[in-house]
Amino acid sequence: MPLRLIGLTIMIGSAVYYSVTLVRRAKRRIQQTEELCNLILYIKNNIEAFMTPVQDIIASFSSRDEEISYFLGQAMQNGLFDSAANATLGISKEGMVLFNEFACRVGKNYKDEEIRMCEYYYNELSSLLKREKEETGQRMKMYKTLPVMSAISIALMLV
């Protein structure tokens, strides 16, 4: 009997840990997508106001997210496009494709074209972010309850 209780405790604990991991991953995806939107808007504003080169803009951008900060450090060394192509951020595939396209094109046009391009990619990433927030809001309750309830139901069957 004690071994059975230990096994059930481990199983329920694992389910709770998995649930917490799913919630953190969903929140991180949203936070990182927001940070990339902020970066694009920051680049646009600096090009519009000061005509600053992209490398200098990236150097002056500060992020609250550690992975984004690491990514920006890599972008300073390797360039934005190479860093974006090799990035392992937690954002969705669609968001990564959009950001890779942006990274490939930024810094290669005249001021007005850069501003329009930044606005386009900002709007695209913002709409993706809005969709992800809606979907995550709907899934969050499931992320929190499904693994735990599954573990509890299996535990009840085994007892």
Side-chain angles (χ1 to χ4, degrees):
M1 188 70 174
L3 289 176
R4 191 180 274 182
L5 289 176
I6 291 171
L8 294 175
T9 305
I10 290 172
M11 186 173 53
I12 292 173
S14 298
V16 169
Y17 178 76
Y18 182 68
S19 175
V20 169
T21 302
L22 286 175
V23 169
R24 282 186 186 161
R25 192 177 303 152
K27 287 181 180 178
R28 192 178 99 224
R29 179 182 308 123
I30 288 172
Q31 181 184 10
Q32 287 183 349
T33 306
E34 284 176 342
E35 286 293 313
L36 291 179
C37 285
N38 292 339
L39 174 63
I40 292 173
L41 191 60
Y42 185 75
I43 289 172
K44 175 196 165 278
N45 291 338
N46 273 278
I47 289 173
E48 191 172 33
F50 309 112
M51 290 190 290
T52 310
V54 176
Q55 288 296 100
D56 295 341
I57 296 171
I58 292 171
S60 66
F61 183 78
S62 62
S63 175
R64 299 171 297 188
D65 189 88
E66 290 177 12
E67 288 183 46
I68 298 286
S69 296
Y70 176 76
F71 164 73
L72 292 174
Q74 292 296 315
M76 287 301 303
Q77 292 176 352
N78 305 328
L80 187 60
F81 176 68
D82 291 335
S83 297
N86 298 323
T88 56
L89 299 174
I91 68 174
S92 67
K93 289 180 183 180
E94 185 180 349
M96 204 63 216
V97 166
L98 280 171
F99 191 73
N100 280 333
E101 289 175 6
F102 171 76
C104 179
R105 295 178 179 164
V106 71
K108 297 178 182 176
N109 300 307
Y110 293 108
K111 178 183 173 182
D112 293 334
E113 293 171 11
E114 288 286 324
I115 291 169
R116 280 194 302 272
M117 183 187 65
C118 288
E119 287 173 351
Y120 170 77
Y121 283 104
Y122 175 77
N123 291 335
E124 289 295 313
L125 264 178
S126 293
S127 66
L128 175 68
L129 177 63
K130 183 179 177 184
R131 274 196 321 263
E132 284 182 356
K133 281 183 178 181
E134 290 171 359
E135 291 172 4
T136 302
Q138 294 168 354
R139 292 181 184 167
M140 197 64 74
K141 188 173 182 179
M142 180 187 70
Y143 288 159
K144 290 177 182 177
T145 58
L146 189 61
V148 176
M149 289 300 152
S150 298
I152 289 173
S153 64
I154 291 171
L156 289 175
M157 283 189 257
L158 294 176
V159 171

